[in-house]
Amino acid sequence: MTEPSNTSRRAAVVLNPIKPTTVDIRDLVSKISADEGWDEPLWLETTKEDPGHGMAQQALDDAVDLVIAAGGDGTVRCVAEELAGTDTPLGLLPLGTGNLLARNLDLDVDDPEGSIRVALTGTERRLDVVHVTVDRAMEAHVFLVMAGLGFDAAMMGDTRDDLKDKVGWLAYVDAGIRNLPGKPQRTKITIDGGKPIGRRLRSVMGGNCGKIMGGLEIFPGAKIDDGLLEIMTVAPHGTFGWLGVVAGLLRRGKGKDPSIEYFQCKSAVIETQEPQDIEIDGDYLGKGTHIAMRVEPNSLRVRMPYGKKDPAILTSPEP
């Protein structure tokens, strides 16, 4: 147990109440907060109408010392969107199916007690966020892990929630198989304001870090604090073209097979002739023909496991 402190500290917990758990989250967080010398948390539950934005803003208005996002990738993204650019750090309590940011920060997604202690006492780092604008909208979103246009977004939009509750990430495999058929679309990609690159693609993805389920890295060597955005294009050719895509992923981007191409930049604009499905950090946004991405370096404070300084994850020293 941590020695009592004269300084009062309070965390807010933005909780997605529909996420199934095997423990009583409220009791566990309250107990560990007391153990570590923190006050009783401020509890803020997300709703169908507001998946976390208003709750995170309320936490900021109440001047808490930490905001813990207790939910899946969508909850984390909404909370981070409000915390980015502030001095209030984000803690993670993974309760979702993918939990991709938590995996990239080397959190044990099956250890809620450990995640809570990391949120309260772990190493604090500044991470990049990526701002995303769809169809030239005035309002931008942010993502922390990845965003996509085309096949991957269609897969996210077609994943069955009831199946996720039963079989976890295998529900994405089911949706992926159902969305494999399809035609490549004429696509233009503009990297850092340069000359547009023309391709016929099934998918374009932007990445801030690289790991997904099973430890697979779809953006090899991506670092979440290097101020750079990774772009991956997917262009399967012929009946067995998806085998080339899988091989390209397993080769970690090495090779000359055009099924997979990688670009590195600070900003990118992707345009298609016909509306395509769009997702950010697993949240399906609908269809669009224009998506712009821009990195905002070191704009989000995040708590991660103490002592974790894997160079494949982070490049900068502690602030």
Side-chain angles (χ1 to χ4, degrees), residues 212-309:
I212 57 173
M213 280 80 76
L216 178 65
E217 284 190 86
I218 63 172
F219 297 102
K223 299 178 178 64
I224 202 168
D225 67 342
D226 60 1
L228 295 172
L229 170 68
E230 313 290 328
I231 298 293
M232 180 181 73
T233 67
V234 177
H237 297 282
T239 304
F240 299 102
W242 286 104
L243 296 177
V245 172
V246 173
L249 290 174
L250 294 177
R251 287 196 300 267
R252 299 169 61 88
K254 299 175 182 178
K256 298 181 179 180
D257 191 332
S259 296
I260 293 279
E261 283 188 283
Y262 287 97
F263 305 88
Q264 196 174 64
C265 56
K266 295 182 179 180
S267 67
V269 176
I270 299 135
E271 300 173 86
T272 59
Q273 288 188 334
E274 298 180 9
Q276 299 296 301
D277 295 287
I278 296 173
E279 62 89 11
I280 55 174
D281 279 352
D283 283 346
Y284 180 72
L285 297 187
K287 292 180 180 289
T289 60
H290 185 282
I291 181 170
M293 307 181 192
R294 174 181 56 82
V295 176
E296 190 67 34
N298 300 322
S299 62
L300 179 67
R301 293 178 177 269
V302 175
R303 296 282 176 85
M304 61 179 291
Y306 179 76
K308 294 293 185 181
K309 299 179 182 180

XYZ file of all heavy atoms in Angstrom, residues 212-309:
752
model
N -2.069 -5.181 -33.727
C -3.477 -5.525 -33.587
C -3.552 -6.838 -32.806
O -2.582 -7.238 -32.162
C -4.196 -5.618 -34.946
C -3.514 -6.651 -35.867
C -4.218 -4.266 -35.627
C -4.280 -6.902 -37.144
N -4.682 -7.515 -32.852
C -4.825 -8.750 -32.094
C -3.822 -9.796 -32.546
O -3.404 -9.824 -33.698
C -6.250 -9.296 -32.236
C -7.260 -8.609 -31.342
S -7.805 -7.024 -32.015
C -8.900 -7.582 -33.294
N -3.450 -10.651 -31.615
C -2.527 -11.722 -31.914
C -1.093 -11.272 -32.063
O -0.232 -12.053 -32.499
N -0.794 -10.024 -31.735
C 0.571 -9.521 -31.844
C 0.990 -9.170 -33.254
O 2.139 -8.783 -33.483
N 0.074 -9.283 -34.233
C 0.412 -8.950 -35.615
C 0.620 -7.449 -35.753
O -0.170 -6.657 -35.262
C -0.716 -9.401 -36.544
C -0.554 -9.075 -38.037
C 0.640 -9.822 -38.620
C -1.826 -9.428 -38.802
N 1.712 -7.069 -36.441
C 1.994 -5.662 -36.701
C 1.639 -5.345 -38.148
O 2.310 -5.804 -39.063
C 3.471 -5.351 -36.459
C 3.862 -5.253 -35.008
C 5.262 -4.701 -34.851
O 5.419 -3.472 -34.819
O 6.200 -5.505 -34.770
N 0.610 -4.558 -38.355
C 0.266 -4.205 -39.731
C 0.958 -2.922 -40.173
O 0.961 -2.602 -41.359
C -1.257 -4.111 -39.934
C -1.857 -3.008 -39.083
C -1.934 -5.429 -39.634
C -3.310 -2.753 -39.407
N 1.535 -2.202 -39.215
C 2.388 -1.051 -39.544
C 3.749 -1.294 -38.892
O 4.022 -0.794 -37.802
C 1.778 0.261 -39.041
C 0.462 0.608 -39.664
C -0.724 0.396 -38.982
C 0.404 1.145 -40.946
C -1.941 0.710 -39.556
C -0.810 1.462 -41.526
C -1.981 1.242 -40.837
N 4.599 -2.083 -39.547
C 5.864 -2.496 -38.926
C 6.720 -1.301 -38.517
O 6.947 -0.383 -39.303
C 6.547 -3.310 -40.026
C 5.438 -3.772 -40.913
C 4.437 -2.655 -40.886
N 7.188 -1.324 -37.279
C 8.080 -0.288 -36.800
C 7.419 1.020 -36.452
O 8.105 1.981 -36.085
N 6.091 1.095 -36.546
C 5.395 2.346 -36.218
C 5.592 2.688 -34.751
O 5.542 1.819 -33.885
C 3.908 2.213 -36.529
N 5.818 3.954 -34.473
C 6.004 4.434 -33.103
C 4.947 5.493 -32.827
O 4.688 6.355 -33.659
C 7.406 5.001 -32.913
C 8.520 3.984 -33.138
C 9.884 4.619 -32.984
C 11.000 3.586 -33.158
N 11.016 3.032 -34.528
N 4.390 5.447 -31.640
C 3.251 6.281 -31.322
C 3.642 7.672 -30.845
O 2.801 8.488 -30.505
C 2.364 5.566 -30.278
C 0.936 6.111 -30.302
C 2.992 5.654 -28.881
C -0.043 5.290 -29.521
N 4.945 7.969 -30.850
C 5.364 9.305 -30.419
C 6.455 9.876 -31.319
O 7.248 10.697 -30.884
C 5.845 9.274 -28.965
C 7.133 8.483 -28.794
O 7.467 7.686 -29.705
O 7.816 8.660 -27.769
N 6.474 9.457 -32.590
C 7.528 9.935 -33.501
C 7.073 11.068 -34.407
O 7.823 11.535 -35.268
C 8.081 8.790 -34.347
C 7.018 8.117 -35.219
O 5.844 8.554 -35.172
O 7.355 7.165 -35.932
N 5.824 11.533 -34.247
C 5.317 12.615 -35.080
C 5.041 12.219 -36.510
O 4.867 13.089 -37.369
N 4.940 10.914 -36.776
C 4.752 10.433 -38.143
C 3.504 9.560 -38.255
O 3.121 8.867 -37.315
C 5.969 9.636 -38.607
C 7.269 10.424 -38.744
C 8.436 9.478 -39.024
C 7.153 11.481 -39.841
N 2.903 9.608 -39.428
C 1.726 8.815 -39.767
C 2.142 7.747 -40.773
O 2.860 8.034 -41.729
C 0.654 9.728 -40.378
C -0.571 9.079 -41.020
C -1.427 8.401 -39.972
C -1.393 10.152 -41.763
N 1.702 6.522 -40.536
C 1.957 5.419 -41.466
C 0.734 5.221 -42.355
O -0.398 5.207 -41.864
C 2.242 4.121 -40.706
C 3.225 4.247 -39.563
C 4.644 4.502 -40.024
O 4.998 4.018 -41.110
O 5.398 5.158 -39.289
N 0.955 5.070 -43.649
C -0.131 4.793 -44.594
C 0.127 3.440 -45.245
O 1.240 3.162 -45.715
C -0.221 5.879 -45.686
C -0.520 7.248 -45.073
C -1.287 5.505 -46.730
C -1.884 7.371 -44.454
N -0.886 2.587 -45.256
C -0.793 1.288 -45.915
C -1.914 1.161 -46.938
O -3.072 1.448 -46.642
C -0.906 0.148 -44.905
C -0.817 -1.235 -45.539
S -0.977 -2.575 -44.333
C -2.727 -2.491 -43.958
N -1.568 0.734 -48.154
C -2.570 0.478 -49.183
C -2.684 -1.020 -49.420
O -1.694 -1.749 -49.337
C -2.215 1.176 -50.511
O -1.025 0.584 -51.066
C -1.986 2.669 -50.302
N -3.891 -1.482 -49.704
C -4.171 -2.897 -49.915
C -4.789 -3.057 -51.296
O -5.843 -2.470 -51.583
C -5.120 -3.441 -48.833
C -5.468 -4.897 -49.106
C -4.491 -3.289 -47.454
N -4.128 -3.856 -52.151
C -4.583 -4.018 -53.529
C -4.427 -5.465 -53.964
O -3.498 -5.811 -54.705
C -3.801 -3.093 -54.465
N -5.312 -6.362 -53.506
C -5.220 -7.768 -53.926
C -5.523 -7.910 -55.415
O -6.415 -7.254 -55.946
C -6.287 -8.454 -53.079
C -7.251 -7.364 -52.732
C -6.452 -6.102 -52.623
N -4.771 -8.765 -56.090
C -4.939 -8.961 -57.532
C -5.381 -10.397 -57.811
O -4.731 -11.349 -57.388
C -3.632 -8.679 -58.274
C -3.174 -7.257 -58.144
N -3.717 -6.231 -58.873
C -2.236 -6.692 -57.343
C -3.128 -5.087 -58.545
N -2.228 -5.342 -57.612
N -6.495 -10.542 -58.514
C -6.951 -11.864 -58.911
C -7.591 -12.642 -57.775
O -7.748 -12.165 -56.649
N -7.951 -13.891 -58.104
C -8.678 -14.743 -57.166
C -7.910 -14.968 -55.879
O -8.476 -14.985 -54.787
C -8.978 -16.099 -57.831
O -9.687 -15.876 -59.055
C -9.836 -16.964 -56.918
N -6.600 -15.140 -55.991
C -5.798 -15.443 -54.812
C -5.027 -14.211 -54.320
O -4.022 -14.334 -53.629
C -4.825 -16.581 -55.128
C -5.509 -17.859 -55.530
C -5.582 -18.230 -56.866
C -6.102 -18.664 -54.568
C -6.218 -19.407 -57.238
C -6.745 -19.840 -54.931
C -6.813 -20.214 -56.273
N -5.528 -13.037 -54.676
C -4.812 -11.816 -54.326
C -4.679 -11.578 -52.835
O -3.700 -10.985 -52.380
N -5.675 -12.048 -52.061
C -5.599 -11.840 -50.623
C -4.461 -12.618 -49.984
O -3.961 -12.247 -48.916
C -6.927 -12.189 -49.954
C -7.976 -11.148 -50.210
C -9.035 -11.235 -51.076
C -8.057 -9.842 -49.618
N -9.760 -10.076 -51.059
C -9.197 -9.206 -50.168
C -7.289 -9.160 -48.679
C -9.574 -7.911 -49.804
C -7.661 -7.875 -48.315
C -8.787 -7.267 -48.868
N -4.020 -13.705 -50.654
C -2.853 -14.432 -50.147
C -1.612 -13.552 -50.227
O -0.743 -13.590 -49.348
C -2.649 -15.727 -50.943
C -3.772 -16.765 -50.837
C -3.469 -17.962 -51.729
C -3.957 -17.205 -49.385
N -1.529 -12.739 -51.293
C -0.417 -11.803 -51.419
C -0.456 -10.740 -50.340
O 0.583 -10.306 -49.830
N -1.678 -10.313 -49.985
C -1.821 -9.325 -48.912
C -1.337 -9.907 -47.592
O -0.564 -9.280 -46.851
C -3.292 -8.878 -48.787
C -3.485 -8.011 -47.546
C -3.722 -8.123 -50.042
N -1.779 -11.120 -47.288
C -1.353 -11.777 -46.045
C 0.162 -11.963 -46.031
O 0.824 -11.709 -45.014
C -2.076 -13.128 -45.874
C -1.504 -13.895 -44.687
C -3.566 -12.911 -45.704
N 0.718 -12.386 -47.172
C 2.167 -12.576 -47.245
C 2.903 -11.265 -47.022
O 3.945 -11.225 -46.361
C 2.541 -13.167 -48.604
N 2.355 -10.170 -47.573
C 2.978 -8.867 -47.388
C 2.974 -8.439 -45.930
O 3.946 -7.861 -45.433
N 1.881 -8.745 -45.222
C 1.815 -8.417 -43.802
C 2.822 -9.234 -43.008
O 3.501 -8.724 -42.115
C 0.402 -8.665 -43.272
C -0.685 -7.715 -43.763
C -2.051 -8.187 -43.267
C -0.419 -6.288 -43.295
N 2.916 -10.528 -43.343
C 3.852 -11.394 -42.620
C 5.301 -11.016 -42.900
O 6.182 -11.225 -42.052
C 3.603 -12.858 -42.994
C 2.245 -13.426 -42.560
C 2.075 -14.851 -43.047
C 2.091 -13.363 -41.039
N 5.562 -10.447 -44.093
C 6.928 -9.993 -44.401
C 7.211 -8.618 -43.811
O 8.274 -8.051 -44.032
C 7.136 -9.940 -45.923
C 7.260 -11.295 -46.597
C 7.837 -11.143 -48.002
N 7.001 -10.311 -48.846
C 6.043 -10.766 -49.645
N 5.795 -12.085 -49.701
N 5.313 -9.941 -50.381
N 6.225 -8.089 -43.095
C 6.376 -6.802 -42.409
C 6.742 -5.680 -43.385
O 7.572 -4.815 -43.094
C 7.424 -6.912 -41.303
C 7.075 -7.915 -40.242
C 8.259 -8.193 -39.324
N 8.705 -6.997 -38.630
C 8.221 -6.579 -37.482
N 7.265 -7.268 -36.887
N 8.680 -5.493 -36.893
N 6.096 -5.722 -44.565
C 6.291 -4.656 -45.527
C 7.517 -4.786 -46.401
O 7.760 -3.940 -47.261
N 8.297 -5.842 -46.217
C 9.488 -6.029 -47.017
C 9.141 -6.846 -48.259
O 8.476 -7.857 -48.181
C 10.572 -6.738 -46.207
C 11.005 -5.944 -44.968
C 11.994 -6.728 -44.126
C 12.383 -5.939 -42.884
N 13.306 -6.709 -42.013
N 9.593 -6.421 -49.391
C 9.279 -7.108 -50.644
C 8.721 -6.148 -51.663
O 8.440 -4.987 -51.363
N 8.510 -6.640 -52.879
C 8.078 -5.788 -53.984
C 6.667 -6.082 -54.453
O 6.221 -5.552 -55.465
C 9.050 -5.939 -55.153
C 10.482 -5.508 -54.823
C 11.396 -5.660 -56.018
C 12.818 -5.201 -55.686
N 13.736 -5.351 -56.851
N 5.949 -6.925 -53.741
C 4.579 -7.252 -54.125
C 3.700 -6.013 -53.940
O 3.586 -5.484 -52.830
C 4.060 -8.400 -53.261
C 2.741 -8.961 -53.787
O 1.983 -8.210 -54.432
O 2.473 -10.146 -53.558
N 3.051 -5.520 -55.010
C 2.228 -4.308 -54.905
C 0.914 -4.519 -54.154
O 0.148 -3.566 -53.996
C 1.967 -3.943 -56.371
C 2.049 -5.246 -57.107
C 3.105 -6.048 -56.392
N 0.670 -5.747 -53.694
C -0.541 -5.979 -52.904
C -0.550 -5.127 -51.646
O -1.603 -4.750 -51.134
C -0.652 -7.459 -52.510
O -0.793 -8.278 -53.640
N 0.654 -4.840 -51.132
C 0.803 -4.003 -49.940
C 1.847 -2.936 -50.236
O 2.938 -3.233 -50.698
C 1.279 -4.827 -48.733
C 0.202 -5.821 -48.301
C 1.663 -3.921 -47.577
C -0.886 -5.225 -47.449
N 1.488 -1.678 -49.984
C 2.462 -0.584 -50.088
C 2.403 0.251 -48.809
O 1.342 0.393 -48.206
C 2.143 0.327 -51.280
C 2.531 -0.207 -52.631
C 2.348 0.845 -53.703
O 1.184 1.072 -54.114
O 3.344 1.455 -54.127
N 3.562 0.812 -48.438
C 3.634 1.651 -47.244
C 4.192 3.023 -47.587
O 5.084 3.158 -48.419
C 4.528 1.005 -46.179
C 3.915 -0.185 -45.486
C 4.205 -1.486 -45.904
C 3.047 -0.019 -44.405
C 3.653 -2.576 -45.261
C 2.486 -1.107 -43.761
C 2.797 -2.383 -44.189
O 2.237 -3.465 -43.552
N 3.648 4.043 -46.916
C 4.164 5.409 -47.012
C 4.262 5.955 -45.589
O 3.520 5.552 -44.692
C 3.232 6.304 -47.835
C 2.928 5.792 -49.205
C 1.859 4.928 -49.433
C 3.713 6.174 -50.290
C 1.577 4.459 -50.706
C 3.435 5.706 -51.568
C 2.365 4.846 -51.776
N 5.169 6.894 -45.394
C 5.321 7.544 -44.085
C 5.258 9.047 -44.286
O 5.885 9.584 -45.205
C 6.653 7.145 -43.448
C 6.749 7.426 -41.972
C 8.034 6.888 -41.373
O 9.127 7.336 -41.736
N 7.922 5.926 -40.475
N 4.512 9.743 -43.430
C 4.275 11.168 -43.669
C 3.797 11.845 -42.390
O 3.676 11.215 -41.337
C 3.233 11.333 -44.769
S 1.660 10.473 -44.430
N 3.523 13.144 -42.506
C 2.906 13.894 -41.416
C 1.438 14.190 -41.702
O 0.669 14.470 -40.776
C 3.677 15.188 -41.175
C 5.106 14.958 -40.679
C 5.810 16.262 -40.407
C 7.227 16.013 -39.877
N 7.944 17.284 -39.591
N 1.076 14.129 -42.985
C -0.331 14.318 -43.341
C -0.616 13.562 -44.631
O 0.293 13.302 -45.436
C -0.651 15.807 -43.531
O 0.029 16.331 -44.659
N -1.869 13.197 -44.815
C -2.275 12.482 -46.022
C -3.730 12.791 -46.330
O -4.542 13.016 -45.421
C -2.085 10.976 -45.854
N -4.043 12.817 -47.626
C -5.418 12.984 -48.085
C -5.733 11.828 -49.016
O -4.961 11.524 -49.932
C -5.618 14.325 -48.822
C -7.031 14.414 -49.381
C -5.335 15.494 -47.897
N -6.863 11.168 -48.775
C -7.282 10.021 -49.583
C -8.626 10.356 -50.216
O -9.566 10.762 -49.510
C -7.397 8.758 -48.721
C -6.030 8.420 -48.088
C -7.875 7.583 -49.544
C -6.113 8.068 -46.649
N -8.713 10.188 -51.535
C -9.940 10.500 -52.264
C -10.330 9.320 -53.144
O -9.470 8.695 -53.777
C -9.738 11.736 -53.136
C -9.363 12.992 -52.372
C -9.021 14.143 -53.294
O -9.952 14.852 -53.710
O -7.820 14.320 -53.601
N -11.619 9.017 -53.193
C -12.128 7.961 -54.058
C -13.240 8.505 -54.935
O -13.890 9.496 -54.589
C -12.675 6.781 -53.223
O -13.727 7.251 -52.378
C -11.573 6.167 -52.371
N -13.460 7.835 -56.071
C -14.522 8.277 -56.971
C -15.901 7.945 -56.415
O -16.851 8.708 -56.589
C -14.343 7.631 -58.346
C -13.171 8.191 -59.140
C -13.147 7.659 -60.560
O -13.649 6.578 -60.841
N -12.547 8.420 -61.464
N -16.018 6.800 -55.752
C -17.295 6.375 -55.198
C -17.201 6.317 -53.672
O -16.127 6.056 -53.122
C -17.679 4.994 -55.740
C -17.855 4.968 -57.254
C -18.239 3.582 -57.741
O -18.526 2.708 -56.894
O -18.239 3.371 -58.966
N -18.297 6.583 -52.967
C -18.272 6.546 -51.498
C -17.801 5.191 -50.966
O -18.220 4.138 -51.461
C -19.729 6.822 -51.107
C -20.299 7.564 -52.271
C -19.628 6.983 -53.485
N -16.929 5.241 -49.964
C -16.388 4.042 -49.340
C -16.645 4.083 -47.831
O -16.782 5.143 -47.226
C -14.883 3.947 -49.592
C -14.500 3.853 -51.063
C -15.025 2.589 -51.705
O -14.717 1.484 -51.279
N -15.839 2.757 -52.745
N -16.680 2.893 -47.230
C -16.841 2.799 -45.785
C -15.620 3.391 -45.094
O -14.485 3.249 -45.564
C -17.012 1.335 -45.373
C -18.289 0.733 -45.928
O -19.370 1.085 -45.433
O -18.195 -0.093 -46.863
N -15.835 4.039 -43.935
C -14.764 4.693 -43.191
C -14.878 4.310 -41.722
O -15.978 4.266 -41.158
C -14.822 6.227 -43.340
C -14.585 6.632 -44.803
C -13.807 6.915 -42.427
C -14.803 8.110 -45.076
N -13.734 4.021 -41.082
C -13.711 3.748 -39.642
C -12.501 4.415 -39.016
O -11.484 4.637 -39.670
C -13.673 2.239 -39.371
C -12.447 1.498 -39.914
C -11.268 1.448 -38.954
O -11.445 1.794 -37.776
O -10.175 1.062 -39.399
N -12.637 4.751 -37.726
C -11.506 5.254 -36.951
C -11.482 4.522 -35.617
O -12.475 4.498 -34.897
C -11.542 6.785 -36.753
C -12.849 7.247 -36.134
C -11.313 7.505 -38.055
C -12.863 8.728 -35.796
N -10.348 3.891 -35.335
C -10.175 3.101 -34.110
C -11.342 2.152 -33.877
O -11.830 1.988 -32.748
C -9.976 4.012 -32.902
C -8.533 4.506 -32.791
O -7.672 4.019 -33.562
O -8.267 5.374 -31.950
N -11.800 1.531 -34.965
C -12.866 0.542 -34.863
C -14.269 1.090 -34.875
O -15.234 0.321 -34.938
N -14.429 2.415 -34.810
C -15.764 3.025 -34.866
C -16.150 3.278 -36.322
O -15.447 3.996 -37.040
C -15.793 4.353 -34.107
C -15.847 4.166 -32.607
O -16.128 3.033 -32.160
O -15.610 5.139 -31.875
N -17.255 2.708 -36.736
C -17.720 2.872 -38.108
C -18.388 4.229 -38.266
O -19.293 4.586 -37.513
C -18.700 1.751 -38.453
C -19.246 1.820 -39.859
C -18.435 1.519 -40.948
C -20.569 2.195 -40.090
C -18.936 1.575 -42.241
C -21.072 2.251 -41.379
C -20.244 1.948 -42.451
O -20.743 2.017 -43.731
N -17.930 5.012 -39.256
C -18.447 6.371 -39.443
C -19.414 6.499 -40.604
O -19.971 7.575 -40.823
C -17.281 7.342 -39.659
C -16.279 7.510 -38.523
C -15.305 8.636 -38.851
C -16.982 7.796 -37.206
N -19.602 5.440 -41.386
C -20.429 5.541 -42.578
C -19.573 5.613 -43.825
O -18.432 5.144 -43.843
N -20.101 6.220 -44.881
C -19.393 6.272 -46.158
C -18.949 7.695 -46.480
O -19.565 8.663 -46.056
C -20.281 5.740 -47.287
C -20.584 4.245 -47.199
C -21.461 3.800 -48.350
C -21.779 2.305 -48.274
N -20.588 1.483 -48.590
N -17.890 7.794 -47.276
C -17.384 9.081 -47.719
C -16.427 8.902 -48.874
O -16.018 7.784 -49.202
N -16.060 10.006 -49.507
C -15.138 9.965 -50.643
C -13.836 10.715 -50.380
O -12.942 10.715 -51.223
C -15.791 10.577 -51.897
O -16.146 11.947 -51.618
C -17.033 9.797 -52.310
N -13.747 11.363 -49.219
C -12.566 12.197 -48.944
C -12.232 12.083 -47.456
O -13.083 12.334 -46.597
C -12.879 13.653 -49.307
C -11.714 14.589 -49.186
N -11.282 15.081 -47.961
C -10.897 15.144 -50.133
C -10.252 15.892 -48.159
N -10.009 15.951 -49.460
N -10.995 11.723 -47.152
C -10.561 11.642 -45.769
C -9.174 12.257 -45.652
O -8.276 11.931 -46.443
C -10.585 10.183 -45.244
C -10.148 10.110 -43.783
C -9.767 9.258 -46.104
C -10.391 8.747 -43.152
N -9.028 13.199 -44.736
C -7.753 13.871 -44.517
C -7.248 13.530 -43.120
O -8.019 13.550 -42.145
C -7.906 15.382 -44.661
N -5.948 13.218 -43.005
C -5.334 12.849 -41.739
C -4.121 13.744 -41.489
O -3.344 14.010 -42.400
C -4.875 11.386 -41.753
C -5.932 10.378 -42.135
S -5.270 8.692 -42.074
C -6.590 7.781 -42.901
N -3.965 14.145 -40.222
C -2.839 15.008 -39.848
C -2.385 14.673 -38.440
O -3.186 14.610 -37.514
C -3.263 16.483 -39.916
C -2.224 17.473 -39.402
C -2.756 18.898 -39.490
N -4.012 19.072 -38.790
C -4.108 19.274 -37.465
N -3.007 19.305 -36.705
N -5.294 19.451 -36.897
N -1.076 14.457 -38.261
C -0.531 14.114 -36.948
C -0.385 15.364 -36.089
O 0.083 16.407 -36.570
C 0.844 13.434 -37.091
C 1.454 13.173 -35.717
C 0.727 12.132 -37.852
N -0.775 15.250 -34.847
C -0.517 16.274 -33.845
C 0.448 15.655 -32.823
O 0.040 14.885 -31.955
C -1.808 16.712 -33.162
C -1.667 17.937 -32.280
C -1.355 19.209 -33.049
O -1.839 19.349 -34.198
O -0.619 20.059 -32.503
N 1.735 15.973 -32.921
C 2.734 15.265 -32.101
C 2.601 15.557 -30.616
O 2.296 16.681 -30.200
C 4.074 15.793 -32.643
C 3.759 16.388 -33.984
C 2.362 16.907 -33.864
N 2.844 14.518 -29.816
C 3.004 14.638 -28.363
C 1.894 15.449 -27.687
O 2.151 16.241 -26.776
C 4.357 15.282 -28.041
C 5.516 14.467 -28.566
O 5.489 13.241 -28.534
N 6.531 15.135 -29.080
N 0.669 15.254 -28.104
C -0.419 16.095 -27.609
C -1.304 15.416 -26.574
O -2.231 16.039 -26.056
C -1.290 16.565 -28.783
O -1.888 15.467 -29.427
N -1.015 14.158 -26.232
C -1.855 13.443 -25.274
C -0.979 12.775 -24.220
O -0.074 12.006 -24.542
C -2.700 12.382 -25.990
C -3.611 11.532 -25.097
C -4.724 12.387 -24.502
C -4.198 10.361 -25.889
N -1.264 13.063 -22.953
C -0.572 12.393 -21.847
C -1.270 11.069 -21.556
O -2.493 11.039 -21.387
C -0.584 13.263 -20.596
C 0.249 14.541 -20.712
C 0.124 15.355 -19.441
N 0.949 16.553 -19.471
C 2.201 16.631 -19.022
N 2.773 15.559 -18.497
N 2.881 17.753 -19.090
N -0.515 9.980 -21.487
C -1.085 8.654 -21.254
C -0.241 7.929 -20.209
O 0.988 8.002 -20.233
C -1.149 7.820 -22.552
C -1.630 6.404 -22.264
C -2.079 8.473 -23.564
N -0.918 7.209 -19.309
C -0.226 6.374 -18.326
C -0.018 4.982 -18.909
O -0.949 4.374 -19.444
C -1.056 6.275 -17.037
C -1.243 7.605 -16.312
C 0.001 7.978 -15.526
N -0.133 9.291 -14.916
C -0.725 9.530 -13.744
N -1.275 8.536 -13.074
N -0.773 10.755 -13.264
N 1.206 4.466 -18.787
C 1.525 3.131 -19.281
C 2.322 2.391 -18.218
O 2.743 2.993 -17.221
C 2.298 3.223 -20.592
C 3.629 3.938 -20.507
S 4.474 3.963 -22.097
C 4.881 2.215 -22.252
N 2.519 1.075 -18.382
C 3.203 0.308 -17.345
C 4.563 0.893 -16.987
O 5.344 1.261 -17.867
C 3.338 -1.087 -17.963
C 2.179 -1.182 -18.893
C 2.026 0.205 -19.462
N 4.839 0.962 -15.702
C 6.094 1.541 -15.219
C 7.276 0.779 -15.790
O 7.327 -0.457 -15.762
C 6.152 1.493 -13.698
C 7.425 2.062 -13.129
C 7.627 3.440 -13.071
C 8.440 1.223 -12.683
C 8.793 3.969 -12.574
C 9.613 1.741 -12.181
C 9.789 3.120 -12.130
O 10.956 3.626 -11.638
N 8.232 1.523 -16.321
C 9.455 0.917 -16.818
C 9.378 0.401 -18.231
O 10.380 -0.066 -18.777
N 8.181 0.454 -18.872
C 8.064 -0.038 -20.242
C 8.582 1.025 -21.199
O 7.971 2.067 -21.380
C 6.610 -0.380 -20.579
C 6.068 -1.551 -19.772
C 6.745 -2.862 -20.136
C 6.108 -4.027 -19.403
N 6.750 -5.305 -19.724
N 9.714 0.750 -21.817
C 10.322 1.717 -22.726
C 10.746 1.021 -24.014
O 11.805 1.259 -24.559
C 11.521 2.392 -22.053
C 11.159 3.167 -20.786
C 12.369 3.794 -20.148
C 11.982 4.528 -18.868
N 13.155 5.153 -18.202
